[in-house]
Amino acid sequence: MSFVKEVSEWILAGVGGIIQSIEEEEIDRMVETILETHDRKILLLGSGRSGFVGRAFALRLMHLGFNVYVSGETITPALTPDDLVLVISGSGTTTTIVAQAAVAKEVGSKIVAVTSHVDSPLAEFADEVVVVKGRTKIDQIFDYEGRQIAGEYDNAPLGTMFELSVMVFLDSVIAELMQKLGIHEIDLRRRHANTE
Amino acid sequence: MSFVKEVSEWILAGVGGIIQSIEEEEIDRMVETILETHDRKILLLGSGRSGFVGRAFALRLMHLGFNVYVSGETITPALTPDDLVLVISGSGTTTTIVAQAAVAKEVGSKIVAVTSHVDSPLAEFADEVVVVKGRTKIDQIFDYEGRQIAGEYDNAPLGTMFELSVMVFLDSVIAELMQKLGIHEIDLRRRHANTE
Amino acid sequence: MSFVKEVSEWILAGVGGIIQSIEEEEIDRMVETILETHDRKILLLGSGRSGFVGRAFALRLMHLGFNVYVSGETITPALTPDDLVLVISGSGTTTTIVAQAAVAKEVGSKIVAVTSHVDSPLAEFADEVVVVKGRTKIDQIFDYEGRQIAGEYDNAPLGTMFELSVMVFLDSVIAELMQKLGIHEIDLRRRHANTE
Amino acid sequence: MSFVKEVSEWILAGVGGIIQSIEEEEIDRMVETILETHDRKILLLGSGRSGFVGRAFALRLMHLGFNVYVSGETITPALTPDDLVLVISGSGTTTTIVAQAAVAKEVGSKIVAVTSHVDSPLAEFADEVVVVKGRTKIDQIFDYEGRQIAGEYDNAPLGTMFELSVMVFLDSVIAELMQKLGIHEIDLRRRHANTE
């Protein structure tokens, strides 16, 4: 097996383990919270690669008929206490993300955080937390040099494990939402952008 | 096991199978082509969720020191014959992507396509193709109604399998690039945006 | 007066002349068409600096309560024959823009083009055209070398005059829409994003 | 004259007055600072419509050969003390912008702020300030109700005057940079994206 395929196997095994370790209660509560939003707004917050994972989820939520927005894009309406803010941040410390979560908290919107760190500034603002492990940037402060020399991190650097785990996890959440809403793939196809 | 975790397992098994089925020769050639770009430009092309996967890869290429751009963003300089264009499209038929690939072809840039369809308009423009299976939008034309009734597609609707497979595959390519370039995670951390 | 202020004066005089030369009938029809959309979707199409001008307009339309989207961003739903597509392109020839307009035409959406060229591929797809002069990229083909030597274009290179004229023109359209809809600034403030 | 054209005239007169009131010393220093960056990085920061104005400027800086980036896009490398951060914010109080300026300050990058408010949090972080008047969101707190009833703000709501003034002002700065660098329009055309 080539090195690229070996690394893929290793990554997929890691992602599988991380997803299995998520608390089922946290998953159920998140699904319930999303279902409860009905036609109120959902705002996705995330930076860098976590932001791309968030946008991929947002796109599917739109396909399911949710009224969803992505922070940093042109059309982002004012938050209200009725709205749901979904934040993705492995470390839970990203400057702009924490600043925006603070505003959402002040407004009174419901905040659901997907993060590796329950004790992060982000998690403190959150009404609900879904803990997705995965070595994040912040982990590396501890014994960083030792592990670095062992090259342990070079196959999945920085937030890679977190980002991939959240991407697969959220796509699985989509499957559950589709089932609970009685929506089928053919419905998604109708809402899929035709001008891309 | 909850439904969400079951779907995750099913997705990960599928992604694993798809990645193992990629031709090793195509992987090697793609890695070689990227390594050969040195400080010439790499432009990432992709739409919707494939576009987010492309951006996640672009970000890591930047962390590795490559001179990389993403189509559709503010700073996208003119292509030249020296440049490399990496295109991600499951169907290989997305209107704007094919239109941009056609321009790149005319300019004379090298085009590498990651797609499920070797006989798509995109693949015809490409100098190199990496075939990543995964049920894509176009597949669904054939016997779509039959499978739809069986609900076969509802756990991973539309391009989900392709997008996740390409995301994990390209992160594995990053690991190989790091090894070949002698770059370690600590080097990536230095190039990671600090203003997010 | 410093050179920067001199150029500003020269630009503003040019922009004023360009806006005065727009056919009033074309303006009235555009305003009417936007007012008729009610809660149907408006999609903004534009590339590069014309794209930024389009987004600035889209943001204000959102503030006025319109259901507006911007092509190329995460949340762009499928077009239907009911929808309105507003396209901004000086030359009317930009590859991806024309490709998207062609799709919109096929879908049957109404297309309003803001362009300098009534005989461009874009204008041919359009149901309505608002001609905004301004030296565009395409103009420069004719006697380009001659004018270039005279340095005539260096104070407002490429599409500058078109982009600035369209930006001021569309902000004036916003004022008219506010008046016709009985909307005041205080209403806009309520819809202004609070998480920026 | 139609209402739209009347408003345009009124806006252009206002923009002209605002630009004439900018301190020439502040303009000269900003131009000098940009010229001094050579091949070091320039990062543009701005939110909402100010962000679009910033991107339009960034695009031209790229056409002039500068090494420029836009915050919030995929490719945003780590800031260093050598880099220049250009921030556009009328109020100087936008949450995420101030948070990012704070990080840039900590890193030691040079910060140039274009704002209406010299006493804003943003201006305090800045090494240089270019004051561009224009009624900004923050102005409206004072005697807002009174003016609102008079409808004084409905022709150019929220940050409109600031945004348009900065757009024209920065395009005039481009003209000065072209002159000082001996760059002509024909050079810009060569760097203009050909894949749009």
Side-chain angles (χ1 to χ4, degrees), chain A residues 8-170:
Chain A
S8 287
E9 286 293 289
W10 178 83
I11 284 176
L12 290 171
V15 166
I18 288 169
I19 293 176
Q20 291 307 322
S21 77
I22 304 175
E23 292 289 341
E24 305 230 334
E25 231 175 84
E26 294 177 1
I27 302 175
D28 292 347
R29 203 168 46 171
M30 183 197 192
V31 168
E32 216 45 61
T33 299
I34 292 174
L35 286 171
E36 279 165 9
T37 63
H38 297 293
D39 53 353
R40 287 171 293 168
K41 292 191 295 287
I42 301 179
L43 178 70
L44 258 292
L45 275 185
S47 178
R49 284 172 50 111
S50 291
F52 301 137
V53 168
R55 287 180 207 189
F57 186 54
L59 203 48
R60 281 287 182 266
L61 287 176
M62 181 201 77
H63 291 154
L64 298 191
F66 287 95
N67 190 9
V68 64
Y69 297 91
V70 174
S71 174
E73 304 213 330
T74 304
I75 302 303
T76 315
L79 282 179
T80 72
D82 281 344
D83 300 328
L84 172 60
V85 180
L86 282 174
V87 199
I88 302 174
S89 171
S91 69
T93 61
T94 319
T95 313
T96 54
I97 299 304
V98 173
Q100 288 176 289
V103 174
K105 181 80 184 171
E106 214 180 283
V107 168
S109 308
K110 190 163 211 171
I111 301 175
V112 175
V114 178
T115 180
S116 303
H117 293 272
V118 277
D119 51 355
S120 61
L122 169 63
E124 274 171 53
F125 285 124
D127 298 288
E128 298 174 19
V129 176
V130 179
V131 178
V132 177
K133 285 177 193 164
R135 192 174 58 81
T136 65
K137 298 152 207 166
I138 224 172
D139 286 338
Q140 303 164 32
I141 295 163
F142 311 105
D143 189 26
Y144 185 67
E145 287 302 320
R147 293 186 208 173
Q148 198 62 40
I149 290 156
E152 205 177 299
Y153 292 151
D154 294 346
N155 289 341
L158 304 170
T160 300
M161 291 310 287
F162 174 78
E163 294 141 12
L164 293 176
S165 300
V166 175
M167 183 122 173
V168 173
F169 164 63
L170 292 178

Side-chain angles (χ1 to χ4, degrees), chain D residues 109-120:
Chain D
S109 308
K110 190 163 210 171
I111 301 174
V112 175
V114 178
T115 180
S116 301
H117 293 272
V118 278
D119 51 355
S120 61

